[in-house]
Amino acid sequence: MAEERFFLYDDTEKSETRFVSFMGTNTRFDLAIVKTGRHYGKSLILDLQGSRFSIIGEDDLAEEGYLEHVFQLSEEDAQELREFLYETL
């Protein structure tokens, strides 16, 4: 007999996904950027090489040390990613 599951939510939503790869000064970035209406205007950013992800908006980009922590990047690499995401988001 199957166990009954208690779902907090189970939604299907259309999304726009952009796959992008670019070379920074020190590192290569391979990203998937998923945009939906679900996260209050923020995007789901997936680092495909590093197996890390975060829901990010412009407010998060402005937070000191956020990208460094989430994606385990140096300050220089995080700044390159930050600049790209400001252009993209």
Side-chain angles (χ1 to χ4, degrees):
M1 177 182 239
E3 180 179 324
E4 187 174 330
R5 289 186 176 81
F6 176 72
F7 291 98
L8 297 176
Y9 56 83
D10 181 5
D11 302 329
T12 301
E13 186 172 322
K14 290 193 181 282
S15 65
E16 175 186 321
T17 304
R18 177 181 177 187
F19 295 94
V20 62
S21 178
F22 67 94
M23 192 65 205
T25 302
N26 301 314
T27 192
R28 174 179 163 169
F29 295 94
D30 292 291
L31 307 171
I33 302 168
V34 181
K35 294 184 179 190
T36 72
R38 182 161 190 91
H39 302 291
Y40 308 101
K42 295 186 178 194
S43 296
L44 177 60
I45 310 297
L46 298 99
D47 172 5
L48 301 173
Q49 293 291 334
S51 301
R52 299 179 188 283
F53 66 92
S54 185
I55 298 168
I56 296 179
E58 287 193 19
D59 59 328
D60 302 302
L61 296 177
E63 188 176 325
E64 187 176 330
Y66 185 74
L67 292 180
E68 291 86 340
H69 173 72
V70 169
F71 294 110
Q72 297 297 293
L73 297 170
S74 69
E75 281 186 39
E76 182 180 10
D77 293 340
Q79 185 57 33
E80 289 178 326
L81 178 58
R82 184 175 290 107
E83 290 169 6
F84 170 76
L85 292 175
Y86 266 126
E87 295 168 10
T88 304
L89 302 181

